[in-house]
Amino acid sequence: MIFTLAYVLVWLGTNLWLDNAFKRHLKQVFISETGQRYQLDVHSLRTGPCLNSIILKKLELSPLEAPENQGTRQANLQIAELRIDWPELSFLPFRPSDELHSMQKVAKKILSHAAQ
């Protein structure tokens, strides 16, 4: 019973952290990873039930318009759901030093999925 309660608390805490702090920082890292060309909007970011993957829902990639390109507007790319396997996810909130590297990996996975 104690293990189940502890697991649920870790799962809920990880989801709250992912959907707030991690998602906000991921948007900033995504802009730099795309060379200031795209911005990312994520409706929700959750962990899988086993804490070994993240699930991003309602992703939208929007081009950042340069002043000279405002006449040629590109369409936004939308992804309904993207699941990324991440075996060490449960330890990430406790290792802030790995956060930036992890966000870069997630941004690259999003870009590779968008290119398909």
Side-chain angles (χ1 to χ4, degrees):
M1 179 76 168
I2 294 174
F3 175 78
T4 304
L5 180 60
Y7 186 82
V8 169
L9 288 174
V10 168
W11 185 83
L12 284 172
T14 302
N15 277 309
L16 285 172
W17 176 76
L18 282 173
D19 204 37
N20 292 310
F22 190 84
K23 184 170 71 171
R24 184 176 56 247
H25 293 131
L26 177 62
K27 290 177 182 183
Q28 296 167 349
V29 168
F30 190 82
I31 290 173
S32 67
E33 284 294 310
T34 60
Q36 305 289 328
R37 292 180 299 161
Y38 292 98
Q39 69 181 14
L40 175 70
D41 186 36
V42 180
H43 184 263
S44 75
L45 201 153
R46 298 276 183 246
T47 181
C50 296
L51 290 172
N52 63 354
S53 64
I54 59 170
I55 302 163
L56 299 101
K57 293 192 178 201
K58 296 184 182 175
L59 295 145
E60 185 172 346
L61 283 77
S62 307
L64 290 172
E65 295 185 41
E68 65 273 3
N69 295 336
Q70 287 186 0
T72 60
R73 182 160 229 210
Q74 298 177 359
N76 294 349
L77 176 65
Q78 296 181 351
I79 302 169
E81 183 175 301
L82 177 62
R83 182 184 188 107
I84 300 173
D85 291 331
W86 197 343
E88 69 275 0
L89 176 65
S90 59
F91 300 110
L92 186 62
F94 308 108
R95 293 187 304 205
S97 60
D98 294 344
E99 187 177 3
L100 179 61
H101 180 67
S102 299
M103 283 186 263
Q104 290 170 334
K105 286 171 51 175
V106 170
K108 288 176 184 174
K109 293 269 189 181
I110 293 169
L111 288 170
S112 69
H113 183 76
Q116 295 176 359

